[in-house]
Amino acid sequence: MAFKNVGTFDLGRAASGAARGGNAAVFSLDADGIASGQAFLTSELEKRDMMVRTPLTSFTYARDIPVRVGGGWAETVSAMQVGYGIAGGSGDGIVHAGGSNGIPMVQADFSKGTYKAHMIAAGTRVMWVDMQRGNMTGRNLDSLLRDGLRMAYDKHLEENTYVGFKRYGTTGLLNNPDVVVLDAASNGADSASTKFKDKTPDMILKDINDAILYAWSQCEYDRDAVPNHIIMPYEQFNYLATTKVTDLAEKTILTFLLENNVAKQNGADLFIGATSWCKGAGDESEDRMVVYCNREKYLAMDELVPLTRAMTGPNTAEFCYDTAYAGNLSEVEVFYDQTMVYVDGI
């Protein structure tokens, strides 16, 4: 086919006999034609970006609590506890003398704590026609929907970890009613403030050390139960991470805290991190800092059945394929609430 200069108005007429009499034979380069015509050029000349942008979000639950996997479709999770006692106490009550005809006996008090578990279920639906179109575009719609389902599952785990679900009577790391709540100390200034940004590094260190020592004292200073994990809102964490101890110092307040805290001096490797859930989590919507011992012995969450692809089937009535996913999770299990303390007003 030879090139033909057709001018700037109608671009010539290149149509089959069947279309010659209709609008398909006419291509105008006026405003309307520019707006809606030449779609084939738009399609053929575009550069396809193969990356699919997903929503911006974050998940920190796996960092802040031990997650135990396995257990099946249980309705509850139980934990055995034992308390010990001895007649007369463990002081001079167990002193023995020759000729005595009786000795105090150790007694054990066993109890079992139970924690709620809940099943989750969700599904995806892929239309049959969209599956065929996906073969042309090279995109797997089922994979995209599965990523969205996983994001919803992680969001569920996130909320379950930090605050639980009021509707089902569960709580999380930030709102356990058995945990002691402390108020951050005032900075002692004329315009008194308890916030980290209004305090000196030494004052902030004292707030953290006081919280660590309070929780540790409730554990009778058991060296295995030294609090080793602190979470707080991003605003306070980023202030600590970017503000120098003094104008002349090279260290940030965060580095200063990690090097000089009382937990480190007693053999614990203290972690300080941030999560958005701490913002406004305290009483009267104050920002809350949580200090606790992040070990499976003291707290955990059970992923009894991880998110599982349960079944897939064709749905002829809706002309699609439906896939069901399910899982089984426990609430946050705090085995020793005395290893935790909340500090509000930071």
Side-chain angles (χ1 to χ4, degrees):
M1 179 178 178
F3 172 79
K4 179 181 179 182
N5 188 345
V6 297
T8 60
F9 174 65
D10 61 6
L11 301 183
R13 296 194 177 196
S16 66
R20 188 177 301 278
N23 292 332
V26 180
F27 300 93
S28 299
L29 203 61
D30 56 11
D32 292 337
I34 293 172
S36 61
Q38 301 191 49
F40 72 96
L41 285 179
T42 303
S43 176
E44 292 188 359
L45 297 182
E46 70 182 6
K47 176 183 178 295
R48 291 184 65 197
D49 187 343
M50 298 307 295
M51 179 182 294
V52 177
R53 271 76 181 175
T54 58
L56 300 177
T57 188
S58 65
F59 309 109
T60 55
Y61 66 88
R63 178 200 68 190
D64 294 334
I65 190 171
V67 180
R68 306 184 298 191
V69 179
W73 299 98
E75 294 184 344
T76 58
V77 176
S78 65
M80 186 67 71
Q81 302 168 350
V82 61
Y84 297 116
I86 187 170
S90 59
D92 58 10
I94 61 174
V95 176
H96 189 67
S100 297
N101 58 5
I103 60 174
M105 306 300 290
V106 173
Q107 300 178 11
D109 177 23
F110 293 95
S111 61
K112 184 174 70 173
T114 58
Y115 302 89
K116 298 177 182 178
H118 61 276
M119 190 194 78
I120 60 135
T124 61
R125 169 170 291 182
V126 181
M127 306 305 295
W128 184 87
V129 173
D130 290 335
M131 291 180 64
Q132 312 314 309
R133 288 172 173 171
N135 294 332
M136 298 177 62
T137 62
R139 298 195 190 278
N140 188 330
L141 183 58
D142 183 61
S143 176
L144 292 173
L145 292 175
R146 191 165 59 248
D147 290 344
L149 183 68
R150 179 71 205 191
M151 182 177 292
Y153 178 69
D154 283 331
K155 283 290 188 183
H156 178 86
L157 279 170
E158 190 92 345
E159 186 172 351
N160 188 57
T161 298
Y162 291 109
V163 296
F165 302 101
K166 185 177 180 180
R167 181 177 180 180
Y168 301 111
T170 62
T171 58
L173 291 176
L174 301 179
N175 59 351
N176 190 303
D178 297 324
V179 175
V180 174
V181 181
L182 303 178
D183 292 323
S186 170
N187 60 1
D190 293 337
S191 55
S193 174
T194 62
K195 300 183 183 301
F196 280 174
K197 66 179 181 179
D198 298 324
K199 292 182 177 181
T200 66
D202 285 335
M203 291 178 178
I204 298 173
L205 178 62
K206 187 176 186 304
D207 280 344
I208 288 177
N209 281 340
D210 286 349
I212 292 173
L213 288 172
Y214 184 91
W216 194 25
S217 68
Q218 293 187 110
C219 306
E220 294 196 4
Y221 296 104
D222 187 325
R223 296 189 67 84
D224 184 64
V226 178
N228 62 1
H229 206 89
I230 296 177
I231 53 177
M232 62 182 67
Y234 279 100
E235 179 183 352
Q236 285 82 345
F237 175 81
N238 289 327
Y239 172 77
L240 300 179
T242 59
T243 305
K244 293 181 179 180
V245 177
T246 67
D247 292 338
L248 300 178
E250 294 182 357
K251 293 181 179 180
T252 63
I253 298 177
L254 180 60
T255 302
F256 169 71
L257 297 175
L258 291 174
E259 291 179 351
N260 296 280
N261 64 84
V262 69
K264 181 179 178 65
Q265 309 310 316
N266 285 277
D269 187 14
L270 183 66
F271 169 84
I272 300 177
T275 177
S276 59
W277 292 89
C278 286
K279 185 69 176 178
D283 295 338
E284 298 180 358
S285 299
E286 291 185 312
D287 291 350
R288 170 165 286 180
M289 176 174 71
V290 187
V291 181
Y292 61 102
C293 188
N294 187 13
R295 292 187 181 180
E296 186 179 327
K297 177 179 179 180
Y298 305 112
L299 78 167
M301 180 174 65
D302 278 283
E303 195 175 18
L304 298 161
V305 179
L307 187 64
T308 301
R309 185 169 184 160
M311 61 184 70
T312 300
N315 185 336
T316 55
E318 301 292 339
F319 202 28
C320 63
Y321 285 92
D322 291 336
T323 302
Y325 294 80
N328 199 25
L329 304 169
S330 78
E331 64 177 319
V332 169
E333 304 151 13
V334 179
F335 307 118
Y336 293 84
D337 55 79
Q338 64 266 42
T339 62
M340 300 182 68
V341 65
Y342 299 149
V343 181
D344 289 352
I346 63 169

